[in-house]
Amino acid sequence: MTGTLNKVMLIGHTGDDVKMHYFEGGGSIGRFPLATNEVYTNKTTGQKVENTEWHNIVVRNKAAEICEKYLKKGDKVYIEGRIKTRKWQDDKGVERYSTEIQCTDFTFLTPKDATGSGSSSGAGYGQSQSQSQGQQQNEPQQKAPSSQPQSFTQEDEDDLPF
């Protein structure tokens, strides 16, 4: 095999609300932690063991704004993207590294009536590109909130002719 693949698929619970950062050119980035759990039984002791892994999720532009609006701490979400490691310097000049998941697609899995505000189902912002190719419209569809999982693909907002 000559090619390579950098693809991540996660289903977990958000550890905090989305933190937004806006840039001068109009772009934005949203960041939030995502917890995934592994549960197994220790064969020697017979005890149930649960391990939690934390992932740093990064979403950009319109996708970030949608996540900020609809994702709340504790919501269950499916994230698809790629792993990226950044190198940066802290306040003392020490080189640090951060491994992040650059989100390209997501689906809200928490039903809208399962949260206090009732708005974290994603409100059906848009559909993944594979679902919308047969549609006549070129703009993302706005739907009424539903309890069905909704997805958004980062590619929906890119490369539009207008």
Side-chain angles (χ1 to χ4, degrees):
M1 180 175 190
T2 59
T4 64
L5 177 67
N6 180 353
K7 184 169 186 169
V8 176
M9 294 184 291
L10 301 168
I11 295 176
H13 292 275
T14 56
D16 201 357
D17 292 342
V18 178
K19 305 292 185 222
M20 294 293 293
H21 303 280
Y22 296 94
F23 302 104
E24 289 180 15
S28 62
I29 288 182
R31 298 176 186 272
F32 62 93
L34 186 77
T36 56
N37 299 316
E38 172 189 23
V39 179
Y40 63 92
T41 304
N42 186 319
K43 291 182 181 181
T44 57
T45 65
Q47 290 183 328
K48 193 176 190 179
V49 178
E50 182 174 344
N51 290 326
T52 301
E53 185 73 33
W54 288 95
H55 312 275
N56 297 314
I57 308 299
V58 177
V59 288
R60 297 182 182 280
N61 301 322
K62 187 68 174 175
E65 294 171 14
I66 293 167
C67 284
E68 178 190 33
K69 184 173 181 180
Y70 296 109
L71 274 181
K72 303 294 179 225
K73 181 178 179 178
D75 283 351
K76 192 171 189 180
V77 64
Y78 165 80
I79 298 288
E80 191 171 306
R82 59 191 215 63
I83 296 175
K84 174 104 179 185
T85 301
R86 288 188 305 116
K87 183 171 128 177
W88 52 282
Q89 287 187 354
D90 65 10
D91 296 338
K92 298 177 182 176
V94 178
E95 284 187 357
R96 307 286 302 250
Y97 293 88
S98 296
T99 301
E100 302 168 331
I101 307 301
Q102 300 285 324
C103 179
T104 56
D105 188 19
F106 58 83
T107 302
F108 302 140
L109 300 176
T110 299
K112 70 174 185 166
D113 54 357
T115 62
S117 66
S119 66
S120 67
S121 71
Y125 165 75
Q127 299 168 318
S128 68
Q129 192 167 6
S130 62
Q131 292 172 330
S132 62
Q133 286 176 348
Q135 294 181 352
Q136 298 296 330
Q137 299 176 348
N138 289 331
E139 297 180 14
Q141 276 190 331
Q142 195 74 21
K143 297 184 196 173
S146 70
S147 61
Q148 297 294 322
Q150 301 296 322
S151 66
F152 174 82
T153 301
Q154 183 75 29
E155 297 166 354
D156 285 346
E157 70 177 69
D158 294 340
D159 300 322
L160 293 177
F162 48 91

